[in-house]
Amino acid sequence: MDSLIYSLNATVPIFAVIFLSYLLKQRGFFKESFISGADKVIFQLFLPVLLFRDIAEGRITETFDLTFFLFCMISTVVYVFAIWGGAELFMKDKTMIGAFTQGAFRGSLAVLGVAFIQNIYGDAGLAPLMIVATVPLYNIFAVIVLTVRSNEPVAGGDSMIRATLKGILRNPIILGIIAGLPFSLLEIQFPTMINKTLDLIAAPATPLALVTIGAGFEGAKAIKKIKPTIIASVIKLVILPAIFLPIAVFMGFRNQALVSILIMTGAPSTVSGYIMAKNMNADYVLSSSIIVLTTAVSVFTMTLALYIMRSFALI
């Protein structure tokens, strides 16, 4: 019973905020302009500052785990190409491969990942290290698979890849993490005035991000292209955690590291995948369907995964 309560305490508050925001959107509380504006300020300001603060206040020399970092990187490469290869072999409609592959591997790490770990442990923990190890690879692989499997010829594919690499280097979340590293390494203590300012800016990041996820949720789109949507969702929420979490346990990862790996492998697909698919002539309807279904079902899969890990005293 204690393990179940622990798991519900970790997941229910997060998805309750998402569900409440969805209901409020149906009642006209949120306009599209609010959602798009909130997404922008979360991505460009609140979340980077939150990660900067947590990195700067921590001691990277004490918390950095090279084995964990490499595990995240290598695992990402393995499952991306396994999913893509499987899609090439078994999907008859080749126009869906790009959106299917991206939806099955690319999770909402920075938003939901930080929210989960923060809710359980009180800070971002090892989430920034996992994000640095995986998010650049996610962006690179998403561009490659969507370019190769675009439904229409994409002009300037090479320049698009270069532009994406520049985008990674300019990514506010990555920059926030990198900016915090010198303060952590040099053990610089901020004055109280700066600490309180950072806390106020970082505070809205998680709750506002959950609000925008719920307010932007479009349930009707999940019924379209249901078969590939279900297959991609099962891969994203069930198969990847079922394969890589036991490996992580065998390698000795516990607590925050194990929860971070659960987020990496089992978080629902990210909304940015839909935006990228739409702008790269991929099957954005399928992409949207995968995002909707994985977001809806992940409340159950994430709770179950945490329950199992808690029951075996792994977290």
Side-chain angles (χ1 to χ4, degrees):
M1 182 59 72
D2 288 343
S3 297
L4 179 60
I5 293 172
Y6 177 92
S7 306
L8 292 174
N9 284 339
T11 57
V12 169
I14 290 170
F15 287 102
V17 174
I18 292 174
F19 182 64
L20 176 62
S21 303
Y22 172 74
L23 293 179
L24 292 174
K25 171 68 183 304
Q26 305 311 303
R27 294 181 174 272
F29 277 73
F30 301 118
K31 295 183 179 180
E32 290 300 325
S33 57
F34 166 81
I35 298 171
S36 61
D39 279 338
K40 187 174 182 179
V41 74
I42 291 164
F43 182 73
Q44 295 190 1
L45 178 62
F46 294 157
L47 198 53
V49 170
L50 184 151
L51 294 170
F52 166 81
R53 182 201 63 186
D54 284 355
I55 287 287
E57 290 179 351
R59 292 294 168 254
I60 197 68
T61 53
E62 299 173 5
T63 60
F64 182 80
D65 187 331
L66 180 60
T67 304
F68 172 77
F69 185 83
L70 292 176
F71 178 88
C72 292
M73 288 188 67
I74 294 169
S75 298
T76 299
V77 174
V78 169
Y79 62 67
V80 167
F81 283 101
I83 293 168
W84 189 359
E88 293 284 356
L89 285 174
F90 297 109
M91 292 192 75
K92 295 180 180 179
D93 187 349
K94 303 303 182 184
T95 64
M96 294 193 296
I97 287 177
F100 176 90
T101 302
Q102 180 187 224
F105 79 73
R106 194 176 184 187
S108 180
L109 306 186
V111 176
L112 278 182
V114 171
F116 267 103
I117 296 176
Q118 203 174 33
N119 189 40
I120 296 171
Y121 295 106
D123 57 43
L126 287 172
L129 191 59
M130 179 266 291
I131 289 170
V132 170
T134 57
V135 167
L137 292 175
Y138 277 2
N139 283 275
I140 292 169
F141 290 141
V143 169
I144 293 172
V145 69
L146 291 174
T147 300
V148 171
R149 277 302 180 184
S150 175
N151 295 344
E152 299 174 16
V154 180
D158 290 339
S159 62
M160 182 174 291
I161 293 174
R162 285 198 298 270
T164 301
L165 293 175
K166 289 181 181 178
I168 293 170
L169 296 176
R170 297 173 182 172
N171 185 305
I173 292 170
I174 300 295
L175 290 177
I177 293 170
I178 293 173
L181 291 177
F183 295 92
S184 177
L185 292 170
L186 298 174
E187 300 186 6
I188 296 173
Q189 298 290 334
F190 293 123
T192 302
M193 177 187 313
I194 294 177
N195 266 330
K196 289 188 174 183
T197 302
L198 291 173
D199 289 345
L200 287 172
I201 296 173
T206 298
L208 187 58
L210 298 177
V211 167
T212 59
I213 290 172
F217 190 82
E218 299 180 67
K221 291 184 178 180
I223 63 174
K224 300 177 181 178
K225 302 190 176 182
I226 192 66
K227 184 177 179 180
T229 297
I230 290 175
I231 294 172
S233 299
V234 170
I235 292 171
K236 185 72 198 73
L237 301 179
V238 179
I239 294 177
L240 293 183
I243 292 173
F244 288 94
L245 282 174
I247 297 173
V249 171
F250 177 77
M251 292 182 64
F253 295 118
R254 298 291 186 273
N255 300 316
Q256 287 193 18
L258 204 56
V259 175
S260 296
I261 292 167
L262 169 62
I263 299 300
M264 181 185 78
T265 57
S269 294
T270 176
V271 176
S272 59
Y274 166 79
I275 298 169
M276 185 173 286
K278 191 169 186 179
N279 283 277
M280 294 184 67
N281 303 311
D283 192 336
Y284 60 88
V285 174
L286 175 59
S287 182
S288 176
S289 296
I290 295 170
I291 292 164
V292 169
L293 189 59
T294 55
T295 302
V297 177
S298 61
V299 60
F300 305 105
T301 56
M302 297 288 287
T303 302
L304 178 60
L306 288 172
Y307 173 74
I308 293 171
M309 291 192 293
R310 182 69 174 181
S311 298
F312 285 94
L314 299 172
I315 59 174

